[in-house]
């Protein structure tokens, strides 16, 4: 498993007046967005910064270069060279990455979404770690 994909909105305190309308955020303050894929060592596998306006995680991913990399499978060389793949869990070998995402993202084969209804203690623990 590579890590998790998420976006973070940051208020842009010193935004130029001419750009304030384009970068209008949720609370009527200009904000700027950082999208990233991080692993458990806090290593950035992908970072993209500077999206303008009111955007949620899905619309940011739609214009992100990360989507192109995942669709064209260009992460594969990096995965092999850094030793991310292949990996094994309980004796089963996996040859592609898995990325933890929120429920808002589309259904890519490498995306692992959270469990909506927690039935067991292990599912609750999984969701706590993911969030």
């Amino acid at each position: 498993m590579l890590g998790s994909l998420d976006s973070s909105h940051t208020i842009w305190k010193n935004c130029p007046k001419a750009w304030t309308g384009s970068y209008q955020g949720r609370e009527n303050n200009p904000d700027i967005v950082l999208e990233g894929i991080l692993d458990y060592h806090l290593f950035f596998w992908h970072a993209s910064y500077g999206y303008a306006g009111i955007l949620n995680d899905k619309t940011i991913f739609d214009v992100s270069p990360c989507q192109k990399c995942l669709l064209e499978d260009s992460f594969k060389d990096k995965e092999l060279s850094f030793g991310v793949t292949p990996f094994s869990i309980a004796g089963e070998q996996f040859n592609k990455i898995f990325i933890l995402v929120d429920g808002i993202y589309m259904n890519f084969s490498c995306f692992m979404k959270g469990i909506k209804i927690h039935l067991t203690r292990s599912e609750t623990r999984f969701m706590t770690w993911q969030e």
Side-chain angles (χ1 to χ4, degrees):
M1 183 174 323
L2 180 60
S4 61
L5 168 67
D6 206 358
S7 299
S8 175
H9 294 257
T10 305
I11 293 176
W12 190 1
K13 184 178 126 186
N14 296 325
C15 178
K17 291 283 186 197
W19 295 358
T20 303
S22 296
Y23 286 86
Q24 196 67 35
R26 293 181 200 151
E27 290 120 23
N28 293 327
N29 293 322
D31 72 5
I32 198 161
V33 180
L34 168 67
E35 176 194 47
I37 298 177
L38 283 80
D39 64 10
Y40 59 93
H41 295 296
L42 298 181
F43 178 80
F44 273 88
W45 287 87
H46 161 75
S48 187
Y49 198 67
Y51 298 104
I54 301 173
L55 298 170
N56 61 21
D57 292 2
K58 184 187 177 306
T59 55
I60 290 170
F61 186 73
D62 287 343
V63 297
S64 169
C66 177
Q67 183 181 30
K68 183 178 178 186
C69 290
L70 290 172
L71 290 174
E72 294 176 351
D73 213 15
S74 60
F75 267 123
K76 189 172 267 187
D77 296 332
K78 292 178 186 172
E79 296 166 23
L80 291 172
S81 65
F82 286 110
V84 175
T85 58
F87 64 95
S88 62
I89 298 174
E92 186 174 347
Q93 182 130 354
F94 296 91
N95 293 316
K96 67 176 184 175
I97 61 170
F98 290 99
I99 302 170
L100 297 173
V101 295
D102 295 336
I104 195 170
Y105 289 98
M106 57 286 300
N107 293 324
F108 282 6
S109 63
C110 63
F111 285 172
M112 180 180 282
K113 296 183 180 183
I115 303 165
K116 291 183 180 179
I117 301 171
H118 316 290
L119 299 176
T120 65
R121 188 178 293 239
S122 62
E123 290 175 352
T124 304
R125 186 173 31 224
F126 173 78
M127 285 305 299
T128 303
W129 287 342
Q130 183 180 0
E131 294 173 358

